[in-house]
Amino acid sequence: MDDRPIGVFDSGLGGLTAVAEIRKILPFENIIYFGDTSRVPYGGRSPEILLKYARQDVGFLRSFDIKAVVVACGTVSTTALPQLKAESDLPILGVVEPACRRAVKMTKSKKVGLIATAASVRSGQYERTIAAIDPTVEVIGAACPLFVPLVENGRYRVGDAVVEQIAEEYLAPLREAGVDTLIMGCTHYPLLTEVVGKIMGEGVELINAGAEAAWELKRTLTATDALANEREGAYKLYASDITGDFAALAGQFLNDTVPAVEGVDIDQY
Ligand code: DGL
């Protein structure tokens, strides 16, 4: 048993979708979440800058006595995970591998779609991971750079003409390719599940990368006897820039009334 908290980070609010899943699956765990809101979005940045930001994000989380880190960011998971793991004595979990394993399990047509940030798609990491599991599965990727700013601004609902039009455009090549499984490879995208599901149609299985990472976390903590004792877990939110609507938006991501959010000067880490 280990009651120390789990550290979770993302560029902004998106990783809170993973926190919501962790809280469902592991209700006894304490969580410290950091959203790098002063530098969101990460999705168009270079691997060098992403590694620098990710090291600072992990550095902040490690200023607490945590037992594991969940990189609740597809972009960092695709570009900086091996370095972060090599530099850490703690378990560091990303979102790519668990999502790929699930996608390979689900697909019957052997055509898997991937929507993610430009940096994630450019990295080729989802393709490499899937090829290592099953080389006969084809991955059709589409970068969706406008999704993160839209979601961060609360524009993700069915009926929002702007979101629906952009989603139609991004998803058209995946529909034409006949994918039967779609990895939502960015932790902001679960908020768009209804919009994406409506466009892709009922026959397409949507994979929530953050949810798959939450299951992976449970397996890891169970295997290392590091689960928390059975009492209600709590979470605490930190952000590098707290704008007026942060708490309200965070509440939408978590489906909860969020506790006070604390500011962090991330340049100190
Ligand atoms: N939510 C993150 C991801 O999973 C980052 C998105 C962004 O900041 O561009 O990729």
Side-chain angles (χ1 to χ4, degrees):
M1 291 292 172
D2 188 341
D3 285 336
R4 290 178 299 164
I6 297 155
V8 182
F9 76 90
D10 184 28
S11 58
L13 292 156
L16 291 174
T17 62
V19 171
E21 299 297 331
I22 295 170
R23 281 170 51 77
K24 259 190 249 160
I25 297 167
L26 294 163
F28 307 129
E29 298 298 334
N30 292 319
I31 298 168
I32 293 174
Y33 181 82
F34 173 65
D36 195 5
T37 44
S38 67
R39 303 189 292 202
V40 68
Y42 279 9
R45 300 188 193 276
S46 65
E48 295 73 29
I49 290 291
L50 289 166
L51 179 58
K52 178 183 155 195
Y53 287 0
R55 280 180 172 141
Q56 289 178 305
D57 301 343
V58 172
F60 166 67
L61 291 172
R62 294 213 61 171
S63 66
F64 301 88
D65 184 18
I66 54 172
K67 62 181 172 185
V69 174
V70 176
V71 181
C73 176
T75 307
V76 172
S77 300
T78 52
T79 52
L81 197 63
Q83 291 93 325
L84 296 179
K85 280 186 170 175
E87 292 165 7
S88 178
D89 52 340
L90 287 179
I92 303 222
L93 292 92
V95 298
V96 175
E97 213 178 305
C100 289
R101 275 205 303 269
R102 168 71 68 180
V104 169
K105 208 175 270 179
M106 298 310 293
T107 183
K108 292 188 178 67
S109 67
K110 303 252 179 196
K111 283 187 181 169
V112 170
L114 164 71
I115 52 172
T117 64
S120 288
V121 172
R122 221 183 294 133
S123 75
Q125 191 56 37
Y126 280 95
E127 284 86 341
R128 278 193 295 280
T129 307
I130 286 187
I133 304 167
D134 182 346
T136 66
V137 173
E138 188 189 344
V139 180
I140 299 102
C144 307
L146 294 175
F147 275 173
V148 168
L150 283 167
V151 169
E152 288 272 333
N153 284 286
R155 301 285 300 269
Y156 51 77
R157 291 186 178 84
V158 168
D160 185 318
V162 174
V163 172
E164 289 198 349
Q165 193 188 332
I166 289 167
E168 285 275 3
E169 198 177 301
Y170 285 152
L171 297 171
L174 307 184
R175 285 174 56 189
E176 278 155 29
V179 304
D180 68 349
T181 305
L182 177 63
I183 299 175
M184 297 193 289
C186 168
T187 51
H188 280 74
Y189 297 178
L191 273 294
L192 292 161
T193 299
E194 272 186 62
V195 171
V196 171
K198 187 175 142 193
I199 294 168
M200 294 305 292
E202 271 179 17
V204 176
E205 186 77 31
L206 304 185
I207 311 277
N208 174 338
E212 298 308 321
W215 286 108
E216 182 71 12
L217 175 66
K218 184 171 184 179
R219 283 189 288 274
T220 303
L221 296 180
T222 306
T224 53
D225 193 24
L227 288 165
N229 283 294
E230 297 196 7
R231 38 107 201 89
E232 204 189 332
Y235 64 93
K236 178 100 183 79
L237 306 184
Y238 294 86
S240 51
D241 188 19
I242 304 174
T243 50
D245 50 2
F246 183 92
L249 270 172
Q252 289 173 32
F253 276 73
L254 281 166
N255 214 358
D256 195 9
T257 312
V258 300
V261 184
E262 250 180 71
V264 176
D265 178 3
I266 195 62
D267 289 327
Q268 287 185 356
Y269 295 91

